[in-house]
Amino acid sequence: MPKLIKNGGIIDNAFIWQQDPEQKVTPNSIIAAQKWLSEKDTIGCVAGIWLDAGDGIEFLQDVDLTQFDVIGVNFPAFTDGRGFSYARLLRERLNYQGEIRALGHFIPDQLGYLLRVGFNSFQFNEEVDLEKALALHKPFSIAYQGDVSDPRPIFLRR
Amino acid sequence: MYQYDAIDQQLVDERVAQFRDQTRRYLNKELSEQEFLPLRLQNGLYVQRYAPMLRIAIPYGMLSSTQLRKLADISCRYDRSYGHFSTRQNLQLNWPKLEDVPDILAELAQVEMHAVQTSGNCIRNTTTDQYAGVIADEIVDPRPYCELIRQWSTFHPEFAFLPRKFKIAVNATESADRAATQVHDIGLHIKKNDAGEIGFKIIVGGGLGRTPMVGVTICEFMPRKDLLTYLDAIIRVYNQQGRRDNKYKARIKILVKALGIEEFRNRVDAEWAHLKGKESTVPMSEFDRLTSFFSEPAYAALENKPEILSSKLADSAGFARWYERNTFEHKKPGYRIVTLTLKKAGQAPGDATSDQMQKAADLSDKFSFGELRVSHEQNLVLADVRQEQLVELWEAAKEAGFATPTLGLLTDMICCPGGDFCSLANAKSIPIAEQIQETFNDLDYLFDLGNIDLNISGCMNACGHHHVGNIGILGVDKKGEEFYQISIGGASGHDASIGKILGPSFAQEEISTVIQKLMNVYVENRSEDERFIDTYRRVGITPFKEAAYAKAN
């Protein structure tokens, strides 16, 4: 079973990230959020949904997110920073408490930033050495800005 | 001057360790070229024509003599004994070895310096008026606000991978805008409202490059406590909605233009509604804390125009000229602001040798409380010089090559490194600067011409800000040959405007002749004391165009 990094450890990945809309949906599937929204009445139980860059989070405003074990965010390129805001808004604005998983083309050197905006699991490409990636988990012990784990900026913490 | 506490220092130290590891992994081929690229860029490291270029941050242009000595030392030991001060108040080293960069950064960290976010698609070094804190008509000192922005923007977790680079500049005087705020992604004008409260007029969507634009006002007065939440809102909208399909259309100016300011403002306000009043609202205690770092130095009670100054002004035309051009009125009687120009003929504009950096540091210790500033026009500034010491300083500055008395004149050019160093450039810019310096070497004539901004860029990226030069020179490539397009009518102050292209480009050897012709048109048409830009605005482009393209016969 493929592995991923979650909550600071390497674990087995129990879910299937479905990128192909034709693929059969199972209770382990993480399916495209837009697809889920339009077909949710017929689609059955899923583990979660994933957001594509450009989706935004507004369309999830009235959705009960507690039904998902995981919400994925796809990075089409690791230089595409839109997904950073999605995670943060899922946490701060939609109050989503479950797993937020980074998917697609992000790199281990971004872990520090990704953690701060609310991601807690990371499904890397196969060629990434997860042990080495884990070593990059927390590059900075402090931060100037508030973030998802502590909304207070530095001036409230000095 | 701002001083790091344990937190600031720890962050910079941890960044050095992080980059050391990233460099090691890159050299071991554990990180691909493509992956290393944005990581090194966010640490100011470009790969340039001949070597990497390292851009060192000088936050809002402030330097201590200790820091400048360190820069001198680093440029001497790791580079070719000089550095280039840029329009955004940074220092660029043109020849460091990639393997040495972690060590350079570690040495910078020893003096509270770094290269964080001096490049890459993130929020860059914030810039401001080089005379901040010492000019009379300032609303408040902008530097504490710049430091607030520095901290907020450093490693901002949400905005490290924006569609494109993002530049913020701050200004706090009505009489001048020395930071070119209107051609930044965000320009902030510090204001005081009728109730005496401090806030910001916020300008968004200015910028140069391929599509030059003057920014538009998104907010007339934002209370200072709300600054950071509002900046978060603006940049979040940009990060989400800015174009990512085409890097030439990715700057915020394109988004603002496409949506129109009304719609853009609505979207920012909608975002801000969620952030306003939340944790990032800045408490008064933080403004007080930051302001305390920029308290006045121990000024002496002095009289204006001491005898030694008056008599030297009367006796020495050379000194009087330098005094008139290169020094500026100080808010305190008996003091003067002095610019050490880096525009000596034969030296690329903005370049300083290690030796000059050492000397400037010594001068700041001796004459200006051990502090300096870097200006947008690529000069160094001693902000607090006793008028009674000006003569002595002038002598020392002459010796070090800092006293070219041409501040604000035609030969005080802004100039990018151009094709001699930069791999993006289409043409060289330094030889053009040299040509103009050689041609316009008559100080009386330059004085007579008065204030003229001449800006030179080696390519469309406009690092030399050619669009906002009263005269702008842009290097262009035509079938492998270098040509130069000239524009006139640009300005970067409160009256910011984008220059208009005169017509077809010129060959390199024609440039100074063309500039000469433009000056002739100006001299013939000006009314008394009228600046070049004002004459241009009054008479229009036609007479300049006709003169520039007139055949010799």
Side-chain angles (χ1 to χ4, degrees):
Chain A
M1 191 173 258
K3 305 270 186 186
L4 57 76
I5 292 176
K6 184 177 169 185
N7 294 333
I10 297 169
I11 60 157
D12 289 333
N13 179 10
F15 305 132
I16 301 151
W17 176 25
Q18 285 190 200
Q19 290 172 276
D20 177 1
E22 303 304 318
Q23 216 175 327
K24 190 174 173 308
V25 173
T26 74
N28 283 340
S29 297
I30 306 173
I31 68 167
Q34 303 276 9
K35 176 182 166 72
W36 177 82
L37 201 62
S38 58
E39 300 171 27
K40 63 178 184 296
D41 297 335
T42 57
I43 217 159
C45 175
V46 293
I49 54 175
W50 63 274
L51 294 165
D52 215 346
D55 278 354
I57 54 100
E58 288 78 9
F59 70 109
L60 295 175
Q61 245 155 18
D62 300 320
V63 173
D64 173 16
L65 299 180
T66 60
Q67 65 188 296
F68 303 121
D69 292 323
V70 56
I71 296 179
V73 176
N74 177 35
F75 287 86
F78 75 95
T79 51
D80 189 326
R82 286 176 284 186
F84 287 80
S85 296
Y86 295 172
R88 187 166 199 165
L89 293 172
L90 284 168
R91 294 282 188 226
E92 291 181 354
R93 201 163 295 173
L94 303 185
N95 198 29
Y96 176 67
Q97 305 289 320
E99 176 182 342
I100 302 182
R101 179 179 295 193
L103 301 166
H105 299 279
F106 63 102
I107 62 175
D109 290 87
Q110 294 176 306
L111 278 172
Y113 287 126
L114 290 165
L115 284 162
R116 290 185 60 200
V117 292
F119 287 94
N120 65 331
S121 88
F122 306 94
Q123 186 172 328
F124 283 102
N125 290 333
E126 282 166 22
E127 64 272 17
V128 172
D129 181 329
L130 293 186
E131 292 290 346
K132 284 185 178 170
L134 204 53
L136 304 172
H137 208 245
K138 203 158 188 285
F140 300 106
S141 54
I142 36 179
Y144 283 127
Q145 312 79 9
D147 57 28
V148 165
S149 59
D150 185 348
R152 294 172 306 155
I154 191 69
F155 46 73
L156 300 181
R157 289 182 275 120
R158 270 193 208 272
Chain B
M1 192 161 156
Y2 185 71
Q3 279 172 344
Y4 284 7
D5 67 6
I7 291 171
D8 301 298
Q9 189 66 48
Q10 192 177 337
L11 259 178
V12 169
D13 290 342
E14 288 177 353
R15 176 59 177 146
V16 174
Q18 183 191 40
F19 192 69
R20 193 180 288 284
D21 183 56
Q22 286 168 341
T23 306
R24 180 191 61 78
R25 286 186 287 130
Y26 169 70
L27 292 170
N28 283 347
K29 302 202 178 348
E30 288 172 46
L31 265 178
S32 71
E33 192 73 52
Q34 192 202 2
E35 289 171 336
F36 188 52
L37 176 88
L39 303 178
R40 66 170 164 75
L41 285 180
Q42 295 210 357
N43 224 10
L45 189 65
Y46 283 78
V47 172
Q48 285 290 34
R49 182 152 285 184
Y50 301 108
M53 183 271 276
L54 180 65
R55 183 180 292 147
I56 297 165
I58 302 175
Y60 37 96
M62 286 297 293
L63 272 175
S64 68
S65 58
T66 309
Q67 290 174 328
L68 186 54
R69 279 198 191 92
K70 177 58 91 176
L71 294 174
D73 181 42
I74 285 173
S75 58
C76 184
R77 285 188 293 119
Y78 294 100
D79 205 286
R80 298 190 177 174
S81 293
Y82 70 93
H84 176 77
F85 290 99
S86 79
T87 54
R88 300 204 76 259
Q89 302 182 308
N90 298 304
L91 179 79
Q92 300 179 174
L93 298 180
N94 282 309
W95 307 93
K97 288 197 195 69
L98 172 64
E99 308 82 90
D100 288 340
V101 171
D103 290 339
I104 297 174
L105 296 175
E107 293 205 27
L108 288 172
Q110 293 167 3
V111 293
E112 305 183 359
M113 294 190 83
H114 57 74
V116 172
Q117 293 176 198
T118 53
S119 181
N121 295 334
C122 51
I123 304 166
R124 303 285 189 87
N125 187 28
T126 296
T127 56
T128 191
D129 190 335
Q130 68 268 22
Y131 301 157
V134 288
I135 42 172
D137 68 342
E138 195 167 71
I139 292 155
V140 288
D141 186 342
R143 293 172 299 172
Y145 301 90
C146 293
E147 177 57 28
L148 180 74
I149 296 167
R150 183 190 77 83
Q151 296 190 14
W152 159 81
S153 61
T154 297
F155 308 133
H156 196 302
E158 206 180 326
F159 303 138
F161 299 92
L162 294 170
R164 206 70 177 88
K165 59 187 167 183
F166 203 90
K167 301 175 178 180
I168 301 175
V170 186
N171 182 55
T173 65
E174 300 288 347
S175 61
D177 176 2
R178 279 173 282 265
T181 58
Q182 294 191 64
V183 287
H184 278 73
D185 295 289
I186 291 180
L188 298 171
H189 290 184
I190 299 183
K191 300 274 177 196
K192 208 174 249 182
N193 67 10
D194 294 340
E197 295 156 342
I198 292 163
F200 295 87
K201 175 175 171 172
I202 302 177
I203 294 162
V204 68
L208 299 175
R210 246 158 239 264
T211 322
M213 286 185 203
V214 172
V216 285
T217 301
I218 184 168
C219 175
E220 282 294 342
F221 188 86
M222 180 60 61
R224 60 181 167 177
K225 67 179 190 327
D226 297 320
L227 178 68
L228 298 186
T229 54
Y230 196 71
L231 290 178
D232 270 323
I234 292 176
I235 300 178
R236 191 178 269 171
V237 168
Y238 165 58
N239 192 30
Q240 292 306 307
Q241 300 175 28
R243 285 183 63 171
R244 289 176 180 269
D245 58 325
N246 180 340
K247 74 178 262 195
Y248 301 116
K249 296 187 174 169
R251 295 287 289 269
I252 194 172
K253 62 190 171 187
I254 304 291
L255 179 65
V256 172
K257 177 94 173 157
L259 293 175
I261 188 62
E262 291 299 323
E263 176 58 18
F264 183 76
R265 183 186 294 120
N266 291 341
R267 293 186 190 192
V268 170
D269 284 345
E271 195 59 40
W272 190 46
H274 296 282
L275 299 166
K276 187 181 179 185
K278 293 279 176 63
E279 288 86 352
S280 292
T281 306
V282 188
M284 197 54 217
S285 57
E286 178 63 3
F287 291 119
D288 290 342
R289 191 185 79 88
L290 292 172
T291 303
S292 72
F293 289 104
F294 301 93
S295 56
E296 283 187 356
Y299 291 124
L302 301 170
E303 293 294 317
N304 264 329
K305 285 263 173 100
E307 168 55 25
I308 181 174
L309 173 60
S310 308
S311 63
K312 188 73 175 178
L313 284 171
D315 295 348
S316 164
F319 176 77
R321 192 176 264 154
W322 176 78
Y323 177 86
E324 187 191 326
R325 284 315 318 183
N326 288 20
T327 77
F328 193 87
E329 193 182 348
H330 197 285
K331 68 178 181 185
K332 290 281 174 195
Y335 284 87
R336 198 85 181 155
I337 304 167
V338 175
T339 296
L340 303 176
T341 46
L342 300 173
K343 304 295 169 71
K344 199 181 170 191
Q347 192 168 8
D351 274 11
T353 64
S354 301
D355 188 45
Q356 282 184 311
M357 290 185 227
Q358 293 280 6
K359 286 194 171 124
D362 293 346
L363 294 179
S364 77
D365 278 339
K366 194 166 179 192
F367 298 103
S368 195
F369 300 101
E371 284 181 5
L372 305 98
R373 291 97 183 279
V374 180
S375 79
H376 168 66
E377 289 82 11
Q378 305 175 285
N379 293 309
L380 295 173
V381 173
L382 300 180
D384 301 294
V385 180
R386 283 170 176 243
Q387 292 176 7
E388 63 204 21
Q389 294 189 312
L390 283 170
V391 177
E392 195 187 343
L393 172 57
W394 177 60
E395 296 288 354
K398 273 198 295 186
E399 217 176 282
F402 294 139
T404 314
T406 52
L407 189 69
L409 300 177
L410 187 69
T411 54
D412 181 30
M413 291 166 283
I414 288 178
C415 183
C416 76
D420 290 302
F421 299 104
C422 177
S423 51
L424 299 172
N426 291 321
K428 293 186 176 64
S429 50
I430 294 169
I432 299 297
E434 279 177 351
Q435 188 189 135
I436 294 166
Q437 277 168 335
E438 280 166 21
T439 308
F440 293 88
N441 59 2
D442 179 343
L443 285 176
D444 289 330
Y445 181 55
L446 281 173
F447 263 57
D448 178 57
L449 294 175
N451 287 328
I452 300 175
D453 295 335
L454 189 148
N455 298 354
I456 309 172
S457 299
C459 77
M460 286 301 274
N461 292 303
C463 291
H465 294 194
H466 64 279
H467 298 295
V468 288
N470 301 161
I471 297 176
I473 301 178
L474 166 67
V476 290
D477 175 272
K478 281 207 265 183
K479 295 177 187 155
E481 274 195 83
E482 295 180 5
F483 281 83
Y484 296 86
Q485 197 175 66
I486 294 182
S487 56
I488 56 174
S492 64
H494 282 309
D495 61 345
S497 56
I498 304 297
K500 284 203 170 68
I501 297 165
L502 211 52
S505 55
F506 298 94
Q508 181 175 334
E509 61 274 13
E510 294 177 285
I511 299 302
S512 56
T513 313
V514 175
I515 306 294
Q516 186 69 64
K517 288 175 179 170
L518 298 178
M519 289 304 110
N520 292 343
V521 174
Y522 162 56
V523 171
E524 283 160 25
N525 286 278
R526 70 178 164 187
S527 59
E528 209 175 334
D529 290 339
E530 194 178 38
R531 296 180 306 166
F532 173 84
I533 183 71
D534 296 322
T535 302
Y536 163 81
R537 283 174 179 164
R538 185 168 52 77
V539 305
I541 199 168
T542 312
F544 292 99
K545 197 170 182 164
E546 282 170 358
Y549 294 98
K551 294 289 171 216
N553 54 356

